[in-house]
Amino acid sequence: MNRVILSGEIGSDIVLKKTATGQSLCNFSIEVKEKGKDGQEHKSFFDCTAWGENAEHINQYGFRGQHIAVDGKLQKSSYTNKENQKVYKTSVYVMDVELALNNATMPQTQAYQQQASQQQSQQTYQSQQQKMQQPQTVPFTNQVNYQSYPEHYDNDEGMPF
């Protein structure tokens, strides 16, 4: 089984790219802090790659220093550098992501403000829809209101249902 779960802070600027086919690709690193046996805090950096909606989400709402949790798998790759040496790299292929979005750490970006406005509009619309769907209670009377029938209703054909 190849699975890794990391929780830490975004340790680098997020770089969003588009492939030739239009697929979104996002690269960043996660800084994970842990205490060693000596009581000192140690930092480790892990390179991460996200694709598609995850990449768009991280790029739109993520920033350096923000808390992030990723679920993914380790991926090995290699390339030849400028000195013609083969370089091997292990990174995390992000399959699921959670960003800490709170007022203390979230920069008030235009995209964030727009999403908050859309959510508020959606909630207002939903509450109006719920009110409209609730049955209206009308007191029962034994009198028939003939004026409520449509004008084109022909009274000679029987009941209106």
Side-chain angles (χ1 to χ4, degrees), residues 72-144:
K73 61 184 181 178
L74 292 178
Q75 181 175 327
K76 294 179 108 181
S77 61
S78 64
Y79 63 94
T80 304
N81 66 10
K82 294 178 183 178
E83 291 82 33
N84 208 20
Q85 296 173 334
K86 192 127 185 164
V87 178
Y88 296 95
K89 180 179 176 181
T90 301
S91 62
V92 177
Y93 176 87
V94 177
M95 295 165 41
D96 194 19
V97 63
E98 286 187 26
L99 290 168
L101 299 176
N102 61 40
N103 290 336
T105 60
M106 183 63 186
Q108 298 299 313
T109 61
Q110 184 179 14
Y112 176 73
Q113 291 172 349
Q114 183 180 11
Q115 183 189 22
S117 173
Q118 287 174 347
Q119 286 176 345
Q120 186 176 13
S121 297
Q122 182 74 14
Q123 289 171 350
T124 302
Y125 175 76
Q126 288 173 347
S127 67
Q128 289 173 347
Q129 289 294 338
Q130 287 174 349
K131 287 178 185 176
M132 291 175 64
Q133 291 175 356
Q134 293 176 350
Q136 300 292 326
T137 56
V138 179
F140 177 75
T141 62
N142 210 6
Q143 299 175 349
V144 177

Side-chain angles (χ1 to χ4, degrees), residues 8-14 29 31 33 62-68 99-100 105:
E9 296 178 354
I10 298 176
S12 66
D13 289 332
I14 299 163
S29 69
E31 174 186 350
K33 299 175 188 174
F63 56 92
R64 183 188 290 223
Q66 180 182 22
H67 186 80
I68 188 171
L99 290 168
T105 60

